[in-house]
C-alpha cells in the first residue's frame, strides 16, 4: 500500500482510490488512496481535521465523495446511503455517539432493523441477543436500561454492540475507546482479535497512540487530507507515528515556571457527593488550588473525578462539605452565578453538555459570554464577531469561519470550541474534565500550551485525565483519586508507575 498506487492491494477487501471531498472552501480529502486488508486491523492516524472521519464516512456510505472511486471485492461501487453500505457488510462506530438517550439498550441496538415475526417485533429475541452482546463485551447492562441512565463509557459499549450485532465483514471503529476504562479497552481488543480471526476487516482510529500500537497490523497516517505515510506494524513505533502526524517529535509541555502562585482561588473542604443509591462517589475530599497553579486529577473510571468537578461547577448537588471560591461559600449558587464569578467547567461529554448542535461555531463560542457584547436587549454584532475571531485564533480552531455549522468540525475542533467558549468568559478558575477526549497529540499540545499560558497570567487550572502521560505534562501538582478520595499527591518528578499504583491500576512490566 502506498500513496501513489492506483491498483488495490492483493488482500484488500475495500479500497479508496483518489478520493477527494470538499465542504465549501475546506478540502477535507485530497486524492487519498487507502486499502482495508482482509482479516487485519488497519489503523488510521492523524490530527484533528486531517480527514480521518471524513474518509471513513465516505467508505461507509454516510457521505458521497466529491471525486474518486471506491472498489469493493475488486469492483467499483457507489453507496446510496449508510444502509446500502451496511447491507454490503460495512458498518461504522462513529466517534460521536448516535444513540437515542430516551430509548433502552435493546431498542438502540436494533433501531431501524428490528427483528420481526408474523405478529410483530420479537422483543424477547432482541433482548436475548442484546444480552449476549453485553456478555461478549463483559458489561453487565440490562437490555431494558435507558441509555440516558448509563455513564458515557457504557453508552460507548452500547454503540459498539450495535455495530457488532450486524455481523459486518468490514467494521470501522472511529475512536471506540475514547470513553472506555482500561479494563473495557482490554475486552474490546479481545473482541477485535476474535473478529479478525474470523476474517473480519477492522479499520481502527484512535488518538491513544500507544494503545493503538497494541492492536494494529497496518498503519496509515493522514495529514491535511493527504496520506503521508503507511507501513506494517513491525516497522513502526510511537516516534514514527508522531513524526508523520505533526512533522517532528512532540511533547505535551512542562509545568510553566517564572511566576509565583497567588492566593487560594478555589477551596474544596470535606466535600461529599452521593449517587442515586446514596453511595458516596466523592467521599470527604479536600483540595486547595491557588491562582496560577495547574493541578491534574488522575484516576480510573469511577474514581469520582467527574462527580467532583460537576459538583464544584454546580451541576451536581453535594451531600456534605463546603466549596469556597475566592473566599466566598458558593454551594448555593447556580451554574450561571458561578460562571459569572469566574468559575467554569469544560465537561467531559461535549456533544451533550458543551455544544448546541443547531448553532454555528461562532454562536457556540460566544454563548457563555453573551453579556459582554449585549446592551440591554441589543447585541453588538461587531463585538461578538471580534470575540469569535479572537477565540478561533487563540484556541487554533480549524474552521471555515464563525458562520460554519458546528457539525462541520472534527471532534477535536469541536472540543476546542467548548474550551474556547469557557475561556472567553475570562475565568479565574477553569475545571476541565478529560479535556483531551477525542483530541490528537498535536491538538493536546496546543490546548495544554494555552492552559500553561493562561496559568502564567494567573488562571487556576484543574484538569482530570485517565492518561498517565498527560499527568506528566504541564501540571504543577498531580492528585490521584481512588474510590472518591485523594489517595496520593505528587510533584512533576513522579513516575508513571507510582501514579498507576496509587490509583489501584495494575502495572504491567
Amino acid at each position: 500500500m502506498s500513496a501513489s498506487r492506483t491498483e488495490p492491494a492483493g488482500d484488500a477487501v475495500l479500497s479508496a482510490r483518489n478520493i477527494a471531498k470538499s465542504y465549501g472552501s475546506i478540502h477535507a480529502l485530497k486524492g487519498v488512496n487507502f486499502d482495508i486488508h482482509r482479516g487485519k486491523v488497519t489503523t488510521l492516524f492523524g490530527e484533528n481535521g486531517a480527514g480521518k472521519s471524513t474518509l471513513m464516512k465516505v467508505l461507509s456510505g454516510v457521505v458521497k465523495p466529491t471525486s474518486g472511486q471506491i472498489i469493493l471485492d475488486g469492483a467499483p461501487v457507489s453507496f446510496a446511503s449508510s444502509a446500502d453500505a451496511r447491507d454490503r457488510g460495512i458498518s461504522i462506530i462513529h466517534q460521536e455517539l448516535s444513540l437515542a438517550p430516551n430509548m433502552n439498550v435493546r431498542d438502540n441496538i436494533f433501531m431501524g432493523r428490528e427483528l420481526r415475526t408474523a405478529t410483530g417485533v420479537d422483543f424477547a429475541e432482541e433482548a436475548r441477543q442484546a444480552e449476549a452482546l453485553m456478555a461478549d463485551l463483559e458489561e453487565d447492562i440490562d437490555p431494558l436500561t435507558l441509555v440516558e441512565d448509563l455513564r458515557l463509557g457504557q453508552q460507548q459499549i452500547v454503540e459498539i454492540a450495535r455495530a457488532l450485532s450486524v455481523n459486518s465483514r468490514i467494521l470501522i471503529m472511529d475512536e471506540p475507546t475514547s470513553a472506555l476504562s482500561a479494563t473495557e479497552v482490554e475486552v474490546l481488543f479481545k473482541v477485535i482479535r476474535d473478529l479478525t480471526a474470523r476474517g473480519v476487516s477492522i479499520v481502527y482510529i484512535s488518538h491513544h497512540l500507544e494503545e493503538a500500537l497494541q492492536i494494529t497490523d497496518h498503519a496509515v497516517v493522514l495529514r491535511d487530507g493527504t496520506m503521508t505515510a503507511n507501513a506494517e506494524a513491525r516497522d513502526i513505533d510511537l516516534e514514527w507515528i508522531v513524526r508523520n502526524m505533526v512533522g517532528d517529535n512532540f511533547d505535551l509541555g512542562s509545568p510553566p515556571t517564572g511566576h509565583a502562585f497567588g492566593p487560594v482561588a478555589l477551596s474544596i473542604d470535606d466535600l461529599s457527593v452521593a449517587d442515586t443509591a446514596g453511595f458516596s462517589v466523592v467521599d470527604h475530599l479536600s483540595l486547595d488550588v491557588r491562582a496560577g497553579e495547574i493541578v491534574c486529577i488522575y484516576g480510573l473510571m469511577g474514581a469520582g473525578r467527574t462527580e467532583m468537578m460537576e459538583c464544584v461547577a454546580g451541576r451536581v448537588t453535594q451531600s456534605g462539605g463546603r466549596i469556597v471560591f475566592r473566599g466566598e461559600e458558593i454551594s448555593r449558587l447556580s451554574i450561571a452565578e458561578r460562571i459569572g464569578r469566574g468559575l467554569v467547567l469544560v465537561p467531559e461529554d461535549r456533544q451533550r453538555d458543551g455544544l448546541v448542535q443547531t448553532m454555528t461555531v461562532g454562536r457556540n463560542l460566544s454563548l457563555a459570554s453573551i453579556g459582554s457584547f449585549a446592551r440591554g436587549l441589543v447585541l453588538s454584532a461587531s463585538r461578538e464577531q471580534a470575540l469569535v475571531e479572537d477565540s478561533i485564533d487563540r484556541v487554533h480552531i480549524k474552521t471555515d469561519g464563525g458562520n460554519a455549522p458546528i457539525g462541520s468540525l472534527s471532534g477535536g475542533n469541536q472540543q476546542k470550541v467548548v474550551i474556547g467558549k469557557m475561556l472567553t468568559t475570562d475565568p479565574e478558575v477553569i475545571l476541565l474534565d478529560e479535556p483531551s477526549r477525542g483530541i490528537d497529540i498535536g491538538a493536546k499540545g496546543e490546548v495544554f500550551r494555552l492552559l500553561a499560558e493562561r496559568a502564567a497570567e494567573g488562571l487556576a487550572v484543574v484538569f482530570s485525565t485517565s492518561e498517565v502521560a498527560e499527568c506528566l505534562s504541564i501540571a504543577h501538582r498531580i492528585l490521584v483519586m481512588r474510590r472518591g478520595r485523594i489517595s496520593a499527591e505528587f510533584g512533576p518528578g513522579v513516575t508513571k508507575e507510582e501514579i498507576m499504583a496509587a490509583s489501584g491500576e495494575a502495572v504491567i512490566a
Side-chain angles (χ1 to χ4, degrees):
M1 182 172 59
S2 70
S4 59
R5 181 182 292 169
T6 57
E7 292 298 320
D11 64 343
V13 62
L14 181 70
S15 297
R17 286 296 166 262
N18 300 314
I19 294 292
K21 180 63 180 178
S22 299
Y23 296 96
S25 62
I26 300 295
H27 298 283
L29 298 174
K30 307 169 185 175
V32 172
N33 296 313
F34 182 77
D35 292 317
I36 298 176
H37 300 263
R38 195 181 312 276
K40 302 293 184 181
V41 178
T42 302
T43 303
L44 186 57
F45 297 103
E47 294 187 270
N48 291 116
K52 306 184 302 299
S53 294
T54 301
L55 178 59
M56 294 305 101
K57 287 177 181 178
V58 168
L59 296 181
S60 60
V62 177
V63 300
K64 291 185 178 297
T66 304
S67 62
Q69 189 177 58
I70 300 172
I71 301 172
L72 179 63
D73 296 326
V77 295
S78 177
F79 300 129
S81 64
S82 58
D84 182 20
R86 188 180 65 204
D87 291 342
R88 296 171 185 257
I90 304 167
S91 294
I92 183 170
I93 301 169
H94 294 284
Q95 178 181 358
E96 303 300 345
L97 300 181
S98 56
L99 303 174
N102 61 332
M103 295 171 62
N104 63 37
V105 170
R106 177 200 66 196
D107 293 345
N108 267 279
I109 289 176
F110 291 97
M111 184 165 46
R113 49 183 193 83
E114 291 77 8
L115 304 181
R116 297 186 178 275
T117 65
T119 57
V121 178
D122 190 346
F123 291 115
E125 177 59 19
E126 287 185 355
R128 188 195 68 77
Q129 291 190 25
E131 191 171 357
L133 285 164
M134 291 298 108
D136 288 343
L137 293 167
E138 298 184 19
E139 196 73 33
D140 186 19
I141 300 176
D142 188 326
L144 299 184
T145 303
L146 291 179
V147 164
E148 64 186 3
D149 293 335
L150 301 176
R151 61 175 173 79
L152 187 60
Q154 291 175 315
Q155 292 181 22
Q156 185 76 68
I157 292 291
V158 175
E159 187 86 51
I160 292 168
R162 182 165 67 181
L164 293 177
S165 70
V166 183
N167 293 322
S168 301
R169 58 193 183 116
I170 299 173
L171 182 57
I172 299 168
M173 297 183 170
D174 192 355
E175 292 287 349
T177 66
S178 61
L180 300 186
S181 67
T183 301
E184 290 167 337
V185 171
E186 290 180 9
V187 173
L188 177 62
F189 281 6
K190 184 173 72 174
V191 170
I192 289 174
R193 292 186 183 101
D194 289 343
L195 290 171
T196 55
R198 300 203 303 263
V200 177
S201 304
I202 304 289
V203 180
Y204 190 86
I205 301 175
S206 179
H207 292 312
H208 299 281
L209 307 185
E210 292 175 311
E211 171 191 286
L213 280 172
Q214 299 175 39
I215 198 68
T216 190
D217 295 306
H218 302 270
V220 177
V221 181
L222 284 186
R223 187 175 182 185
D224 294 327
T226 303
M227 182 193 293
T228 59
N230 61 92
E232 300 291 323
R234 63 178 177 270
D235 298 324
I236 69 172
D237 55 18
L238 189 63
E239 180 181 335
W240 180 91
I241 299 170
V242 174
R243 183 176 66 252
N244 285 290
M245 278 178 58
V246 299
D248 54 17
N249 292 329
F250 202 84
D251 65 64
L252 295 176
S254 56
T257 58
H259 70 282
F261 296 155
V264 173
L266 175 67
S267 182
I268 303 170
D269 181 26
D270 204 33
L271 182 70
S272 293
V273 178
D275 62 14
T276 54
F279 177 77
S280 290
V281 289
V282 178
D283 190 11
H284 299 284
L285 183 146
S286 296
L287 167 65
D288 287 342
V289 184
R290 306 180 75 87
E293 184 180 21
I294 302 176
V295 176
C296 172
I297 308 289
Y298 176 81
L300 303 179
M301 198 75 72
R305 296 170 297 138
T306 294
E307 291 83 357
M308 182 272 287
M309 287 196 168
E310 290 190 341
C311 180
V312 173
R315 298 189 61 202
V316 174
T317 303
Q318 66 211 65
S319 56
R322 301 168 69 244
I323 303 170
V324 179
F325 177 68
R326 293 168 51 199
E328 176 190 3
E329 166 66 57
I330 62 169
S331 300
R332 296 183 181 275
L333 297 185
S334 67
I335 297 174
E337 288 171 330
R338 297 184 200 204
I339 292 174
R341 281 167 169 75
L343 173 63
V344 300
L345 168 69
V346 174
E348 178 186 20
D349 190 339
R350 60 175 172 263
Q351 292 294 318
R352 185 185 68 186
D353 303 322
L355 298 170
V356 180
Q357 295 297 326
T358 56
M359 287 185 172
T360 63
V361 171
R363 283 296 163 89
N364 269 285
L365 281 168
S366 64
L367 190 60
S369 52
I370 193 169
S372 66
F373 52 85
R375 293 295 180 268
L377 298 177
V378 180
L379 300 181
S380 170
S382 60
R383 283 175 174 268
E384 181 182 16
Q385 183 176 354
L387 179 145
V388 168
E389 290 177 353
D390 179 66
S391 185
I392 289 173
D393 182 61
R394 292 192 67 180
V395 190
H396 307 291
I397 300 168
K398 293 181 180 179
T399 176
D400 201 20
N403 291 325
I406 191 66
S408 68
L409 269 60
S410 65
N413 280 292
Q414 289 184 18
Q415 181 76 320
K416 291 189 202 177
V417 170
V418 180
I419 295 171
K421 175 179 71 173
M422 302 320 301
L423 289 176
T424 60
T425 66
D426 197 23
E428 296 191 30
V429 175
I430 185 168
L431 311 172
L432 304 102
D433 191 7
E434 291 277 11
S436 67
R437 179 176 174 259
I439 291 184
D440 63 77
I441 190 169
K444 285 181 190 179
E446 292 174 357
V447 169
F448 283 2
R449 279 194 297 274
L450 177 65
L451 294 174
E453 290 169 3
R454 294 298 293 269
E457 298 170 0
L459 177 67
V461 177
V462 182
F463 73 93
S464 75
T465 182
S466 53
E467 292 192 41
V468 181
E470 293 181 8
C471 297
L472 306 176
S473 56
I474 60 171
H476 296 108
R477 273 194 299 156
I478 301 162
L479 305 180
V480 180
M481 282 190 69
R482 184 178 183 183
R483 297 177 181 174
R485 296 187 176 187
I486 294 175
S487 61
E489 178 175 333
F490 302 107
V494 67
T495 65
K496 290 183 179 181
E497 290 76 14
E498 289 173 317
I499 294 173
M500 294 169 70
S503 72
E505 188 172 357
V507 180
I508 301 174

